[in-house]
Amino acid sequence: MQVESLRELLIAEIRDIYDAEEQIVDELPGIIEKVRSPQLKSALQMHLEETRGQILRLEQVFEKLGEDVEGEKCAGMKGILKEGADAIDDTDEGDVRDAVIIASCQKVEHYEIASYGCVRTWASQLGLNDVAQLLQVTLEEEGNADKKLSQIAESAVNIQAKKVA
Ligand SMILES: [Fe+2]
C-alpha cells in the first residue's frame, strides 16, 4: 500500500506493532520455559501478561481510529525472534542461556520502544490526543520492562555467566 499521509503512516505502523505484539505473545511462553533464574522467569511472566494488555490497548486504538483490528506482518519482529531462538538453541540451560534470553528480550523491547515512540509522536502531531495517551502508557511499560531486564542482567545472572566462561 502506498502511504501518502501521516495518518496512513500511523495506521500502517500500528498494524505492524499489533502483529509484533501477537508474535511476542506466541513466542514468550516457550522462552520463559527455558529460563533458569526465578527472578528472570517472573519478570518475563509479568511482561507476558502486560503484553496481553498492550494488545487490548492497541485494539482500543484501532477503535478510536475507526479502523479494523488487523495486523500487518512485522518482518522486523519475526527476524529478532528468530535470531533470539537460534541463539537460545546454541546454549544449554543455565546462566549463559539466561544472559542470551535477556539480550534477545531487550532487542525485542528496543524495537517496541522505537515503534511506540514514533506512533505516539505521530498521534500527537495529528491531534489524536487520546490515541497518543494510550500509546504513551504502553511506551512506558516497555521502557520499564527494558530497565528491569538491565537490572537483572547487572545482578546475578551475568556475573555467574562470567564465572562459567
Ligand atoms: Fe509490547
Side-chain angles (χ1 to χ4, degrees), residues 17 21 24 47 51 54 109 112 116 138 142:
I17 193 75
E21 296 286 20
I24 295 165
H47 194 57
T51 302
Q54 292 170 351
E109 290 311 319
E112 293 190 288
Y116 278 110
T138 298
E142 307 293 18

Side-chain angles (χ1 to χ4, degrees), residues 150-161:
S150 288
Q151 282 164 4
I152 295 172
E154 283 158 16
S155 64
V157 174
N158 281 2
I159 292 164
Q160 282 163 25

Side-chain angles (χ1 to χ4, degrees), residues 49-65:
E49 284 318 307
E50 212 163 48
T51 302
R52 293 196 172 106
Q54 292 170 351
I55 288 174
L56 296 177
R57 206 172 286 130
L58 285 173
E59 289 170 0
Q60 280 177 267
V61 167
F62 281 122
E63 199 183 315
K64 285 186 186 294
L65 292 168

Side-chain angles (χ1 to χ4, degrees), residues 51-159:
T51 302
R52 293 196 172 106
Q54 292 170 351
I55 288 174
L56 296 177
R57 206 172 286 130
L58 285 173
E59 289 170 0
Q60 280 177 267
V61 167
F62 281 122
E63 199 183 315
K64 285 186 186 294
L65 292 168
E67 293 289 326
D68 293 339
V69 175
E70 209 182 335
E72 175 76 39
K73 198 89 212 129
C74 175
M77 187 56 68
K78 196 172 186 328
I80 291 171
L81 290 169
K82 168 79 170 75
E83 189 179 87
D86 291 347
I88 291 166
D89 281 347
D90 287 341
T91 58
D92 294 319
E93 191 188 300
D95 296 328
V96 174
R97 173 174 277 179
D98 283 0
V100 167
I101 290 171
I102 289 173
S104 306
C105 290
Q106 285 196 288
K107 288 175 188 174
V108 166
E109 290 311 319
H110 284 229
Y111 183 98
E112 293 190 288
I113 289 166
S115 292
Y116 278 110
C118 289
V119 288
R120 184 274 327 267
T121 299
W122 296 336
S124 293
Q125 288 169 338
L126 289 164
L128 302 164
N129 294 330
D130 45 355
V131 169
Q133 186 53 41
L134 285 166
L135 297 168
Q136 177 66 29
V137 172
T138 298
L139 179 60
E140 284 168 18
E141 285 179 358
E142 307 293 18
N144 290 336
D146 180 52
K147 279 192 208 103
K148 183 87 187 278
L149 288 169
S150 288
Q151 282 164 4
I152 295 172
E154 283 158 16
S155 64
V157 174
N158 281 2
I159 292 164

